[in-house]
Amino acid sequence: MLRSVITAFGLLALVVPAVAAEPGGTASGTIAGEEIELSVWTEQSDFTSSSFSIYFRAPALRERGLGSLSVGAEWIGDLDGGFFSAEIDVPILNTDPYRVYRADLDDELSLTITSASYQGDVLAIAGQVEGVLTSMDRIALRNPDPDDTLSVSLTFEAVLGELQ
């Protein structure tokens, strides 16, 4: 009996990390001062040894006339929160020319990683992103209206599959 219990707990210990490492995740916080809950779009989110890209979606974004929000960053060396590039953008639906709200590190975007660990071929990452995104043409990133902005403050947890 004791041997069966030990074996069962041993098998459970092997299964739990595999379950915990499934791609997915959430973000919560505010967009334009309104509370929002987002989920990770696993089919579009991924990572490499020096970058990650997380796409978040929610019906509440579409209700605001927005597409999927993306957060991406690149680093050199270890993923310790020191980024040489990071950006956040969200498409503005039904615009011609195609427009997005966007910010990067040059626009005082704040991206903080609170935890990150590699678990086989997945990256478990948590953090916060905050900034004021400016509306601009997606092509050539021209900005004819600098007063058209969108404030974003999100806390996120995600498990990302490796870029294939």
Side-chain angles (χ1 to χ4, degrees):
M1 175 66 175
L2 182 59
R3 184 178 213 174
S4 298
V5 170
I6 291 171
T7 301
F9 278 114
L11 290 174
L12 182 61
L14 292 173
V15 171
V16 170
V19 171
E22 288 296 314
T26 60
S28 62
T30 60
I31 294 180
E34 296 180 35
E35 294 290 325
I36 192 162
E37 298 286 327
L38 307 166
S39 60
V40 171
W41 187 4
T42 57
E43 296 83 6
Q44 294 295 317
S45 303
D46 54 32
F47 78 97
T48 69
S49 62
S50 62
S51 68
F52 69 80
S53 181
I54 309 172
Y55 286 82
F56 296 97
R57 60 185 179 175
L61 288 173
R62 292 237 179 245
E63 291 167 7
R64 291 176 170 91
L66 302 172
S68 298
L69 182 143
S70 68
V71 176
E74 295 179 281
W75 61 90
I76 297 174
D78 295 329
L79 176 54
D80 59 6
F83 302 108
F84 72 83
S85 84
E87 69 179 45
I88 180 172
D89 69 37
V90 59
I92 304 168
L93 302 177
N94 303 318
T95 56
D96 185 22
Y98 180 60
R99 297 179 65 78
V100 296
Y101 284 106
R102 182 180 189 283
D104 61 28
L105 293 178
D106 293 335
D107 303 317
E108 299 183 27
L109 175 69
S110 170
L111 175 61
T112 304
I113 301 303
T114 55
S115 70
S117 66
Y118 297 99
Q119 301 171 5
D121 61 351
V122 298
L123 170 65
I125 188 167
Q128 301 158 334
V129 62
E130 190 168 337
V132 177
L133 288 60
T134 303
S135 172
M136 58 185 57
D137 294 343
R138 182 62 177 157
I139 307 301
L141 299 178
R142 292 175 301 223
N143 183 4
D145 186 3
D147 295 328
D148 184 8
T149 62
L150 183 70
S151 62
V152 173
S153 179
L154 298 171
T155 300
F156 64 89
E157 292 183 354
V159 176
L160 310 174
E162 192 168 12
L163 179 65
Q164 299 297 322

